[in-house]
Amino acid sequence: MTLNGVLWPCLVFFPGSLAQRVRVEQEVVSYPGQTVTLRCQFPNPGETQLTQHSCETQRIRVSWIFEPTDADYPAKSPLSGRVSFVTDPPTLENPSIKIIEVKMTDEGRYICEYATYPSGNEQGVTSLIMLAKPKNLATTVRVNAGKTPVIVARCESSNGRPAATISWSTALNGNVTAPIETENPDNTFSVQSAYMLVPQPSDNGKDISCMVSHRTLTQPETFPMKLVVEYPPQVKIVGYDNNWYRGRTSAYLICQADGNPVPTTVTWRTLSGLMPEKVQVQENRLAVQNVDDTINTTFICEVKNSLGYGRDQISVFVREQPPPASNAGVIAGVILACFLAIALLGVLIYFLVFHNRRQQHGYRGTGKPAGAPYDSFTRLFGSAKSSKNGTGNNGNNNTPIYKGEVGLNEKTANLGMHPGGVALLETSHTHTAEDILLSREMDEVERKKFDELEEEDERYDHFGGGGPILQLRPHDDDLDDDMESQRDGSVISRTAVYV
């Protein structure tokens, strides 16, 4: 085929399917308007002999066959005037071709075929993939609040190849319509998708996004939007605290309104039709400088926009005097104080119990362990003044006493004289040493020791045999007899004692 003195390859429009030994690229991707090269080689033919193939009057060695993507084969080549060999003149080793200003209709299979002898024809197939980057657009639809589903947003991908994929992202409780795909005359595709919702006033301004995915895009193209839902004004009066009384100052009401489009007018009036003289109206604010009985009425606020109007009303009751202050805070304070007192008492009880148990395990107020030889709580006898002739009260030369840490109590004891000048100690006081120890919360072992001490005292009281026994030496008037009981039951005088 000769066109303007240029050698063109022979393009035959019929399918072919032979063993592929010819080296070609399996797939070539291009965009409309570009120049694309389709390479073809027959390396190392060996013993294969290449023959010539006639195409009209020209004798060529290689044929190129084009199979369009659609099933319709045109009578005239769509590549006329846009295809040529890469090299001029073309060679058997490199019969590659190039196509300029490629179109979407150029997409298809391109077969490079060698005429060989004796094995027959050898083919290599290249698929030309035409891509078209789509134009994407997303918009919201202005709708009125209602009770039936309507389209609130649209997303469209136009003139793309292959067809794009559309998805939605939103927290709204709506539905996505089935995508509508349309094939254009230039073999591109357009895709449309919509989002439907029963619009409510609360949906106005909510977020919704459309995402378009396509082979020509490295990542989906995202279109964030906000819904537009129009509705009449929604009105609410605030500021009344049910505590308007005679003489109160700076009382006020505020008319809050929300609507789309934005409300244009705010009107205050009363149910009776007359506005009290002491009321001042400033747009959406109604102020009362001094409350009196004329304020005892119903106030109405009306708000309008292009879709309609909304209203709210509130009845004001004027009291004779302010209500008594609530004692809820006082009660709460008392309850809190009670809880704190209980907690403090619990901590104190715990401390006392812990301290008491610690004492029972062998520690006293003096810091000495129980059973020490000279424990201050075991000092049961003290000194008493004696007469110069050795006699004291009841004829005794010694008067036993006991002293405690919390006070001083003196108990007299009868000190009898045993024949032979032996002094015998007979206790006559009502409180024993064991009582004292019990009052100091001594443990069981210490009480047993003092039981043994009392038994030992009784044996001395009834002693009738001979032999030397404990003799008490008379003391001077200003010398005290400090007797102490020991752990083994004996009694030791810290003054003059002779055996």
Side-chain angles (χ1 to χ4, degrees), residues 6 10 65 154 293 303 338 397 431 452 487:
V6 180
C10 179
I65 303 171
R154 288 192 175 97
D293 290 339
V303 182
C338 291
N397 61 352
H431 296 286
E452 295 174 357
R487 295 174 59 87

Side-chain angles (χ1 to χ4, degrees), residues 141-148 150 198-200 228-231 260-261 307:
V141 180
R142 187 178 294 269
V143 298
N144 293 336
K147 298 181 180 180
T148 58
V150 294
V198 178
Q200 301 296 321
V228 180
V229 180
E230 296 184 341
Y231 53 95
N260 189 25
L307 296 181

Side-chain angles (χ1 to χ4, degrees), residues 14-87:
F14 60 89
S17 177
L18 297 177
Q20 183 170 340
R21 290 171 50 188
V22 180
R23 181 178 296 176
V24 295
E25 295 177 289
Q26 293 184 355
E27 183 178 280
V28 175
V29 177
S30 182
Y31 292 89
Q34 293 182 340
T35 297
V36 63
T37 299
L38 304 180
R39 294 178 176 83
C40 180
Q41 290 181 343
F42 193 89
N44 302 322
E47 299 298 328
T48 301
Q49 297 180 2
L50 300 179
T51 62
Q52 295 180 347
H53 182 72
S54 175
C55 181
E56 295 183 353
T57 60
Q58 298 295 329
R59 298 170 60 85
I60 61 175
R61 299 179 176 89
V62 179
S63 298
W64 279 93
I65 303 171
F66 171 56
E67 296 180 351
T69 299
D70 53 17
D72 297 331
Y73 292 94
K76 184 179 179 180
S77 171
L79 303 173
S80 296
R82 296 185 294 115
V83 62
S84 64
F85 284 107
V86 173
T87 61

Side-chain angles (χ1 to χ4, degrees), residues 466-482:
I469 62 173
L470 177 65
Q471 294 183 356
L472 300 180
R473 176 184 175 183
H475 302 285
D476 297 333
D477 292 341
D478 56 347
L479 183 62
D480 294 337
D481 183 14
D482 189 3

Side-chain angles (χ1 to χ4, degrees), residues 223-234:
F223 297 89
M225 300 170 287
K226 291 185 180 296
L227 293 187
V228 180
V229 180
E230 296 184 341
Y231 53 95
Q234 296 179 333

